[in-house]
Amino acid sequence: MDPVLVDFATRPAELANAVVRHHRCVIASSYVVVASGGHLKVDFAVEGGEDIAETVLSVTVLGAAVPMDVTLNDEMVMDGLSLSDDEDPGGVREYLVSVPGKILQQGVNVLRIRNTDHADADNDGSLLRVRAITVNPAEDAGRAERDLRVRTGGRSVWTFATERRTLDAPTWQPGPRLLFHLDRGEGESAARLSWRGTDGAESAIAFRSDLSGFHGHFRAADGVIGELRGTLTERRAVADAAADDLGRYFATEEERDGVWRPVGQLRLLLDDGGAPVERVTWSDRKGDATSLTLRTAVTGISGPSATGERRDVTGKVSRVEASEEFDDWGEVAANLLHKASNKWLAHEDSADLEFTFDSPVTVNAYSLTSANDCPDRDPSDWLLEGSHDGRSWARLDTRENERFGRRFDTREFPFPNTVGYRHYRLRITANSGGTETQLSRVQFFDVDGGDTPPQPGISDFVGYLHHVGTEPVGYRGTTVPAPVSVEEDGTDAEELLAGDFSDTARSLQDAAHLLDRLTQYLRP
């Protein structure tokens, strides 16, 4: 039989040999929530004449363990089964059940997964969160997952929420997100990954088999070591990703017998919220390994320019936070990013403002605009600091005894800087004598050089490739513009038939495969 795959980690879901319907369910970002008494139904087909002795059913769930019933063609497969919460009450669980082939029937089969927890539906513990469902022939277990990785692994941008626990700490603490995309045109996704930033920070992780998360370790730029773990929060098709989330593109070559030969294109994105990456090593589940060191001089918008023109990059700030703000009157830190008559006010004579950019930016000037009243609230002494990760800060500029000449007076402060940071912090240590501190606007500037073009003939990474069963070879790549289409084999990307999950949700390819066998079954 063709394997059955239902993967809710993407929107729309990835399906193979399946039509999904639901009752009392909610579609979340990377799973489906099944409320108490609700169920998911998966219709799949078995070709006539197939002799199947046994299949393996896998149901992957997230969060607290919730009892569930599973039936196949109205035959009970799992009756109120629930795994223990002892080890990791918030983790990923996989239920594996052997299903006798005699339960299957030729044509359409109906698999139903029901939440049998009768607790109050408002109780979070009664919600069953289903990430994936597969049915594989016993002699080829895992085929559905392998097919999915080949079909979507290189076409996906993966986003993970991370947590860190330092060596001596008893609890996990939230960390920056990890954004990851890797495609060398071979279909396989990374199973293990390690990288080093330009600030010396290092991390190494191993992914779960379904890429729903990872576990690993890190060494921060300041030498602190600890554990690192992550949970998949989003998986987007490359075609749907923002331009800034597609990383860098390289034309690559292999060296064999002293001769360099083209071997296709590499697309690489690795953003852990810290400094730019300078070294990356990964291996896939087949055991093939790749390692490369990147040239970090190509810096895009942060690169130096021949013109030296200053550019306002404040629009790239994605978040601003203040140590204190006057929320009741709407005088909050977010006002600082816009040209208007409103302001930010803190009921203190000192305060901190932290600005987070979408990606690292090399700021070498900033401006402050005084507010509408009370000159004694103007900042007079402050520090500007930069950080790759929001934890370790470098001092960039120091000012003392500064004065603003009038209300809504904008003053610009240049300073030397060649390093791109994602976080900038303005630490106001004193104002002009008042008990409160205020500003109308903060702006950041860099030197406008546009996108720095690659230099012909100069490699932008060097490393090695080592395929299982062969000798290692040299590997290098040169930056090239992003292609218009991400498909390299001349075919169109797989499309999905849009529709409400309560009706159908299936890919066009699977719809064509199943339509002739499901028409009668689905007819009202």
Side-chain angles (χ1 to χ4, degrees):
M1 62 172 282
D2 290 337
V4 177
L5 171 69
V6 179
D7 184 5
F8 295 117
T10 61
R11 289 292 162 264
E14 286 283 350
L15 305 175
N17 189 21
V19 173
V20 179
R21 297 175 291 154
H22 68 67
H23 172 64
R24 298 195 64 183
C25 295
V26 177
I27 312 301
S29 60
S30 60
Y31 53 86
V32 169
V33 180
V34 184
S36 178
H39 64 254
L40 286 167
K41 278 188 177 180
V42 180
D43 305 331
F44 64 95
V46 175
E47 297 280 0
E50 289 189 82
D51 184 15
I52 303 170
E54 183 183 11
T55 60
V56 176
L57 166 67
S58 168
V59 182
T60 303
V61 301
L62 303 177
V66 175
M68 61 181 173
D69 289 345
V70 178
T71 61
L72 178 58
N73 297 329
D74 295 326
E75 295 277 348
M76 185 64 69
V77 176
M78 294 168 55
D79 185 4
L81 180 61
S82 176
L83 297 181
S84 171
D85 268 344
D86 292 344
E87 293 186 3
D88 186 3
V92 179
R93 294 173 174 77
E94 184 179 16
Y95 295 76
L96 290 173
V97 179
S98 175
V99 181
K102 64 182 181 180
I103 300 180
L104 296 173
Q105 59 189 27
Q106 294 182 10
V108 176
N109 291 259
V110 181
L111 175 70
R112 187 178 77 159
I113 299 173
R114 181 172 179 267
N115 180 352
T116 58
D117 191 332
H118 299 295
D120 184 349
D122 292 332
N123 180 350
D124 183 63
S126 68
L127 299 179
L128 175 65
R129 295 172 173 85
V130 180
R131 181 187 287 276
I133 304 165
T134 65
V135 182
N136 289 290
E139 67 273 13
D140 196 9
R143 178 181 162 189
E145 294 88 339
R146 293 196 302 273
D147 289 350
L148 174 68
R149 287 197 297 269
V150 170
R151 191 166 69 245
T152 67
R155 300 202 315 263
S156 298
V157 177
W158 308 80
T159 303
F160 296 87
T162 71
E163 293 180 297
R164 295 174 176 233
R165 182 168 63 186
T166 57
L167 185 63
D168 300 318
T171 59
W172 292 89
Q173 298 296 325
R177 72 168 186 175
L178 174 65
L179 197 64
F180 176 59
H181 168 63
L182 172 67
D183 183 16
R184 203 170 61 224
E186 298 181 351
E188 282 286 339
S189 297
R192 290 161 294 278
L193 174 70
S194 62
W195 66 96
R196 174 186 170 91
T198 55
D199 60 352
E202 297 180 288
S203 300
I205 60 177
F207 292 100
R208 296 189 182 119
S209 59
D210 62 355
L211 293 176
S212 63
F214 62 78
H215 201 101
H217 54 88
F218 72 92
R219 178 184 293 274
D222 59 5
V224 173
I225 64 174
E227 295 175 86
L228 175 65
R229 69 182 183 185
T231 301
L232 180 67
T233 58
E234 184 180 30
R235 191 179 85 209
R236 287 171 293 162
V238 169
D240 297 331
D244 291 342
D245 288 347
L246 291 180
R248 294 171 64 180
Y249 295 74
F250 304 93
T252 66
E253 299 174 286
E254 288 183 7
E255 183 187 28
R256 296 182 183 273
D257 301 322
V259 178
W260 289 95
R261 297 181 176 87
V263 289
Q265 190 176 84
L266 169 69
R267 298 192 289 269
L268 176 65
L269 166 67
L270 206 168
D271 180 5
D272 64 354
V277 171
E278 65 179 9
R279 187 174 69 219
V280 186
T281 299
W282 70 89
S283 59
D284 60 30
R285 300 190 186 282
K286 296 184 299 183
D288 293 346
T290 307
S291 183
L292 50 90
T293 296
L294 292 142
R295 184 190 302 274
T296 57
V298 179
T299 56
I301 66 167
S302 300
S305 77
T307 63
E309 293 183 14
R310 201 172 299 283
R311 177 171 58 174
D312 187 346
V313 294
T314 313
K316 294 185 177 294
V317 175
S318 58
R319 186 175 70 251
V320 55
E321 297 177 284
S323 58
E324 212 280 333
E325 57 188 9
F326 192 14
D327 188 60
D328 290 346
W329 280 22
E331 296 176 342
V332 296
N335 295 336
L336 295 169
L337 302 179
H338 309 286
K339 184 177 181 180
S341 59
N342 52 17
K343 64 186 179 184
W344 157 76
L345 174 70
H347 293 98
E348 301 171 346
D349 58 6
S350 61
D352 290 352
L353 294 165
E354 183 177 338
F355 301 83
T356 301
F357 285 77
D358 293 328
S359 58
V361 174
T362 305
V363 170
N364 45 40
Y366 62 99
S367 69
L368 306 181
T369 301
S370 59
N372 62 318
D373 59 4
C374 303
D376 60 351
R377 297 175 181 173
D378 293 343
S380 65
D381 299 358
W382 64 80
L383 308 172
L384 182 70
E385 300 172 319
S387 173
H388 298 297
D389 56 11
R391 295 186 297 272
S392 300
W393 296 89
R395 182 174 298 184
L396 305 177
D397 190 43
T398 302
R399 303 285 170 164
E400 294 181 352
N401 299 317
E402 299 289 349
R403 293 292 181 267
F404 293 82
R406 61 187 183 279
R407 299 303 84 205
F408 297 114
D409 181 21
T410 298
R411 297 191 56 198
E412 186 172 314
F413 304 94
F415 61 95
N417 179 40
T418 59
V419 178
Y421 295 99
R422 190 173 184 184
H423 306 269
Y424 288 85
R425 183 169 66 183
L426 183 67
R427 305 197 66 185
I428 301 170
T429 56
N431 63 15
S432 298
T435 58
E436 298 170 314
T437 304
Q438 64 183 21
L439 280 170
S440 177
R441 195 178 187 194
V442 177
Q443 293 171 270
F444 296 93
F445 304 90
D446 75 349
V447 172
D448 179 13
D451 290 334
T452 305
Q455 302 178 44
I458 298 181
S459 297
D460 291 306
F461 76 72
V462 64
Y464 67 80
L465 285 175
H466 190 193
H467 294 285
V468 173
T470 67
E471 297 298 327
V473 296
Y475 188 47
R476 69 184 184 187
T478 302
T479 301
V480 295
V484 175
S485 170
V486 299
E487 296 298 317
E488 296 181 331
D489 59 1
T491 63
D492 294 331
E494 184 180 61
E495 298 179 60
L496 294 176
L497 183 62
D500 188 278
F501 270 43
S502 60
D503 181 16
T504 60
R506 55 195 175 198
S507 72
L508 292 176
Q509 176 183 345
D510 295 328
H513 184 66
L514 287 170
L515 188 57
D516 59 338
R517 284 168 283 175
L518 293 176
T519 300
Q520 183 65 36
Y521 177 79
L522 296 174
R523 181 176 298 162

